[in-house]
Amino acid sequence: MARLYLAHALAHRQHEHMTTSSDILPRDLPMAGEPLYERLAEHYRRVITSGTLAPGDRMPSVRVLMTRHQVSLSTALQVFRRLEDAGWLQAKPRSGYFVRRRTSPSLPCVDEPANTASPGEAHFVGLHESISKVIALAQQYPDALNLGGATAAAALYPTARLQALTIRLLRQEPTLLTESGRDSGGASFRQAVARRALSSGVVVSPEEVVVTNGGVEAVNLALRAVTQAGDTVAIESPAFFGVLQIIESLGLRALEISTSPSTGISIEALEMAFRAYGNIKALVVVPHLQNPLGCNMPDDRKVELVRLCAQHKVALIEDDPYRELLDEPDQHKPLKAWDKSGGVIHCVSLNKVLAPGMRLGWMSAGRWHERVKMLKFSQSRNNEALSQLVAAEFMGSGAYDRHLFQLRERLVTQRIATAEAIARYFPSGTRLSAPAGGVLLWVELPSGTDSERLFEAALAEGIRIAPGTIFSNSRRFASFIRLSCPQPFDQTLDDAFQRLGRLALEAH
Amino acid sequence: MARLYLAHALAHRQHEHMTTSSDILPRDLPMAGEPLYERLAEHYRRVITSGTLAPGDRMPSVRVLMTRHQVSLSTALQVFRRLEDAGWLQAKPRSGYFVRRRTSPSLPCVDEPANTASPGEAHFVGLHESISKVIALAQQYPDALNLGGATAAAALYPTARLQALTIRLLRQEPTLLTESGRDSGGASFRQAVARRALSSGVVVSPEEVVVTNGGVEAVNLALRAVTQAGDTVAIESPAFFGVLQIIESLGLRALEISTSPSTGISIEALEMAFRAYGNIKALVVVPHLQNPLGCNMPDDRKVELVRLCAQHKVALIEDDPYRELLDEPDQHKPLKAWDKSGGVIHCVSLNKVLAPGMRLGWMSAGRWHERVKMLKFSQSRNNEALSQLVAAEFMGSGAYDRHLFQLRERLVTQRIATAEAIARYFPSGTRLSAPAGGVLLWVELPSGTDSERLFEAALAEGIRIAPGTIFSNSRRFASFIRLSCPQPFDQTLDDAFQRLGRLALEAH
């Protein structure tokens, strides 16, 4: 429990691109196509985040870089400048460059759940009304600083490129808006999605992909495909409130399973629940950057989870909208990658990673593919073609990886600055999640703090947060809040966190 | 039964804009803003379609027009040219202009259902598989001439204007695709929809409108809001196959109610069914240009239907995507206009009337509004903003009415030419619907004709039609087909109908 935020965050950033000093150029140099200095800078960033060069260590000199990588003085200098600008290095006069010591926020990690062994009880969800109240109240303050959302600010997405691409495609195919039943958009998008899936370890054909209106429709269709009203669905605790709403809207019961802020859902508690209740039809999990906890399931637990669900014939719905926001996505394979029996329904979306305004999601539903296709067709027909064509073209270009790389880099900086601000201003006793990517931070306030009171007080001061109560059908997280770091940290945000800290104290 | 197609079609075109010869300008001159000659031409078109000037009648002379309406010679000549071009007038050398005698297709109207008094039995729907087969087979012939769809060709929609508007709006607000949670698009679109509803006699506030992914999602949400799996839903017979698929996907039972090709669903059969079965939770009807029959409910039957459903506490789901395609939409008010108790759920879309590629629909759900809002939010969140902004701006401009006016005029011509071709080429004993608008024609082939065989044979010859079997859970319409007139009639179409007629004979 004494783990520090930063140490924990950095531990997630290990990778396999290590090199020895005898390398001329690192073997697996990242980002082919980028300028050489960018690729070398990224190489050294990885050397630092992996801990090979630790904070305070001296960086190899300009001369060493020139010799080691056989690059020019100007390239070597650019590498140093890039790393200094990004905050990884610090120049000391007459001594050279050193790996920067980052101020540790000194907050302990959010507590592990008390009792992971008891399976608890399944309940119909009665949360919609209170979630709606929270959303409606927030909508009364449209100008509030939004620290409660799950997407980054528009400035962090490729706004101009997507705009230009949309205009170009619409010029090329003017009848996109007025022609009926075109599936050309769908076909290219499904192919782009299938190609992308391949690089994450998931083998799926374009025909096995069903395009949806965002990730929410994907999870909705998945649950409709595998359950009937009255059935029980196992979920994480805390869980994304959207999943709780879907469960409520379909007349299902939710069984909340203890979930660790570091390793995700408790396999042990889940196994006990499967044995205790015969009527669990599905499990919904967010294996990467779980919302709101921020945790990632380790590989061995993923394998175990897929096996357990297959054994108990429980549909495993993998809600996976954040994976591309991981600092090191290549190290995290979707559950679907281990699915041998078609029992995993993988739901993904572009909402958080590329274009929150486009409402594009998709799913590959394993052995429920035909049923999901039928439900989607009868629920809302095919998605419109234009946005699918735009997304397909963008995803098929190098621009997508460059965008994701920049987005991740910015989120690291923003997340660390936000965690530091919370550590500075929040009441003593506050605990914090340590996500290895994304925009979300899960904050445990001192026991007895009323997160709904805090939510209302913050709104009145122009700050929007998400109260912990909307993430569970119980009151278990009443003293938690979900915060986010959607934009570059600046004085405005610093002021906002200072005010939030004061209000958190008052809400105790 | 001896009614002829054309007489029947024209009977629908009565209106209240009649003028006496003493008028200088017709009092209620249509289409303010259009050039004077266009408005006068439209006035005389109405005089002709209402029967005041009958086929063969002499048209008033150019001189009479100049005096009667106090217009210039050039304007009067333009009026004649316009009417001649559109096929309403025929010049006879040295005699002047006469109202054109249109060749009557001489086909009797589709038969009234045999027994409207028996309520029949409710069944779970098991149609999805065969509908999917039909759709999948059709998709194997993407280049087939599509005479089986329900939308017009892209050329009949305002492609260039919508394209330009989309580009302009995206330039004005570049972050439309990358900003999260914007409801600005929704707000303007809901307002445009509410204003439009007002002109059709429906009073609804923008807040009571829920925007959906096309009309299908609206009907899906309506049924989800008022039923549970196992419930019975009354529908028309024949019915739109999409409604049958929704009913099947939600595990509901369908009770098919006799529906007249001239006046719509049988109120008598419905009342009997309400009395016979206590568990009917909803009724889905298409009151205008019913798909596939093409019939419109007369006002007195609409009033009676709304009353009957309110009395039996049955939710009345009004599926209304075609009303704006009526030759005379102002004469047909939605059922919702008579709804006093909030028991009517009105579902509309832009799919058939403006932009088949935009997937925009909406609904006003009366007393189920809150539940529908909740279901929509948990099913697919808000629609994306861009298309809503485009549609709102277009609907708020005069261009929308001008587009609809032109579209209706073209569809009249195309529908008549198509009906004539069917009369020319189809086997004797063929009967035909007489819709007062839209693109659909419902064709009853001689008893014993196999519409699925015909569908397959036609596809093999590059022509796509819709077999009658997909419009009912029974085999009642196995010898019917649904055809459409999506584009201007030409030699290609003439050839296609000739081939279809031959294939229809062979499928007997």
Side-chain angles (χ1 to χ4, degrees), chain A residues 135-424:
Chain A
I135 293 173
L137 190 59
Q139 280 169 347
Q140 290 174 25
Y141 297 83
D143 299 325
L145 181 66
N146 191 353
L147 301 176
T151 53
L156 271 71
Y157 298 107
T159 296
R161 269 172 184 275
L162 289 174
Q163 181 203 37
L165 199 49
T166 305
I167 291 173
R168 176 162 68 72
L169 287 170
L170 195 53
R171 288 227 166 98
Q172 279 170 11
E173 302 197 50
T175 59
L176 276 172
L177 304 177
T178 50
E179 204 168 321
S180 166
R182 282 181 61 110
D183 194 38
S184 62
S188 356
F189 184 58
R190 288 196 303 273
Q191 189 174 48
V193 160
R195 284 194 183 148
R196 190 86 202 166
L198 207 57
S199 73
S200 75
V202 173
V203 181
V204 62
S205 75
E207 290 67 37
E208 290 169 294
V209 173
V210 173
V211 181
T212 59
N213 291 291
V216 165
E217 193 181 39
V219 175
N220 183 291
L221 288 168
L223 277 169
R224 285 190 64 199
V226 302
T227 65
Q228 295 188 337
D231 284 346
T232 296
V233 177
I235 56 170
E236 296 154 313
S237 185
F240 169 43
F241 64 86
V243 170
L244 286 158
Q245 287 178 302
I246 295 173
I247 287 174
E248 178 171 353
S249 77
L250 295 173
L252 303 168
R253 282 173 230 255
L255 178 64
E256 301 192 15
I257 306 288
S258 285
T259 302
S260 151
S262 52
T263 57
I265 196 161
S266 161
I267 311 268
E268 299 68 31
L270 195 64
E271 184 157 18
M272 203 165 293
F274 285 173
R275 287 182 200 284
Y277 305 102
N279 63 342
I280 298 176
K281 292 291 168 53
L283 164 69
V284 185
V285 284
V286 182
H288 308 118
L289 300 175
Q290 199 265 4
N291 175 4
L293 283 173
C295 55
N296 292 305
M297 293 188 72
D299 273 6
D300 55 345
R301 296 196 146 240
K302 286 181 182 167
V303 173
E304 182 58 17
L305 186 64
V306 172
R307 192 201 57 73
L308 186 68
C309 288
Q311 180 195 333
H312 289 270
K313 297 192 177 12
V314 172
L316 206 179
I317 301 174
E318 177 177 26
D319 183 16
D320 197 19
Y322 305 111
R323 188 181 153 277
E324 298 271 24
L325 296 187
L326 282 162
D327 296 337
E328 306 286 355
D330 297 343
Q331 290 176 41
H332 301 267
K333 278 192 224 166
L335 293 167
K336 186 73 183 166
W338 285 282
D339 178 25
K340 284 182 199 112
S341 61
V344 176
I345 305 181
H346 192 208
C347 304
V348 197
S349 98
L350 291 182
N351 215 36
K352 310 296 188 296
V353 298
L354 180 64
M358 280 171 69
R359 307 287 319 124
L360 268 180
W362 64 89
M363 61 201 294
S364 45
R367 65 170 175 267
W368 296 278
H369 173 66
E370 284 302 326
R371 176 147 174 81
V372 159
K373 243 175 83 174
M374 176 266 208
L375 291 174
K376 164 65 177 163
F377 189 77
S378 75
Q379 177 164 303
S380 60
R381 293 286 186 275
N382 292 337
N383 278 45
E384 43 92 31
L386 177 59
S387 55
Q388 293 185 77
L389 284 172
V390 170
E393 183 140 342
F394 194 87
M395 287 172 81
S397 74
Y400 189 43
D401 272 322
R402 284 195 295 275
H403 152 65
L404 288 174
F405 176 77
Q406 279 175 6
L407 178 61
R408 285 176 203 129
E409 204 169 52
R410 284 176 185 172
L411 293 184
V412 169
T413 312
Q414 292 172 197
R415 217 166 48 244
I416 290 176
T418 303
E420 287 171 353
I422 293 169
R424 263 197 306 284

Side-chain angles (χ1 to χ4, degrees), chain A residues 38-102:
Chain A
E38 278 282 9
R39 297 158 71 197
L40 279 174
E42 167 62 6
H43 167 67
Y44 278 99
R45 189 181 73 77
R46 292 184 175 187
V47 168
I48 294 167
T49 57
S50 69
T52 303
L53 282 175
D57 279 359
R58 184 194 296 268
M59 182 63 188
S61 69
V62 173
R63 197 158 303 269
V64 169
L65 249 71
M66 290 169 64
T67 320
R68 183 184 291 173
H69 305 298
Q70 298 191 346
V71 296
S72 69
L73 173 65
S74 129
T75 298
L77 284 174
Q78 277 178 303
V79 172
F80 280 86
R81 209 170 300 134
R82 187 76 185 77
L83 289 167
E84 191 184 10
D85 286 352
W88 296 105
L89 297 184
Q90 189 168 21
K92 294 194 183 170
R94 280 179 301 269
S95 311
Y97 281 89
F98 291 80
V99 177
R100 185 189 277 272
R101 288 180 198 278
R102 305 193 87 114

